[in-house]
Amino acid sequence: DQQVKQNSPSLSVQEGRISILNCDYTNSMFDYFLWYKKYPAEGPTFLISISSIKDKNEDGRFTVFLNKSAKHLSLHIVPSQPGDSAVYFCAGTLITGNQFYFGTGTSLTVIP
Amino acid sequence: DTGVSQDPRHKITKRGQNVTFRCDPISEHNRLYWYRQTLGQGPEFLTYFQNEAQLEKSRLLSDRFSAERPKGSFSTLEIQRTEQGDSAMYLCASSQTIFYEQYFGPGTRLTVT
């Protein structure tokens, strides 16, 4: 069962504009959410996270928003840069952190 | 620290053979995870260790898969009697107990012919 879903396989954005990547989840018991970025031939790299008790977390150009009632989170990248071109995965976990559930990823292309 | 390392980076094997992969986590990380990733999919959880104890195992994990972390440091993942469906990228990740953020290795790409 796919507990975390990323319904947009790909996204193209002009450099300097905002990139918005979306993620939906089904398990209301998830306590923590994370976003990872992945370049080809490399393992995923942690980007930003958010606890279920918050609705927003910001780190530089990256902001994650959490809407618990809608079971939805989004990652905003402002301004987008060509180096941001990668596959982005969202993941959720229970409070134990024993198991993480990943979405299928969104491939972001930032056009110079 | 150079991060999480995995060995080998690539493995080609014939169907029916056994393979073993190694993961060296970041030294102070006591949590270790194994994932499998196929094309177009996100990492799929396989198993989790807290120090040397295997605390979680995916119910989808075949009995042909076994993992160990004997001294709470490095870990091995063995696949017995490989099948073509086992072809995937096998990822290892580690983290500290108080943090959820995982650090991934580069992965081992397995091809079963």
Side-chain angles (χ1 to χ4, degrees), chain B residues 27-42:
Chain B
S27 58
E28 64 267 27
H29 287 184
N30 50 9
R31 292 188 169 209
L32 188 146
Y33 304 80
W34 284 99
Y35 293 88
R36 175 173 59 194
Q37 186 176 19
T38 53
L39 193 64
Q41 300 297 314

Side-chain angles (χ1 to χ4, degrees), chain A residues 32 36 46 49 95-97 100 103, chain B residues 31 33 42 48 100-102 105:
Chain A
Y32 208 78
Y36 287 85
F46 169 72
S49 61
I95 193 169
T96 59
F100 288 74
Chain B
R31 292 188 169 209
Y33 304 80
Y48 157 66
Y100 291 102
E101 293 80 6
Q102 300 176 325

Side-chain angles (χ1 to χ4, degrees), chain B residues 81-92:
Chain B
R81 305 181 304 281
T82 52
E83 302 173 354
Q84 286 189 319
D86 297 331
S87 295
M89 176 73 81
Y90 290 84
L91 294 163
C92 174

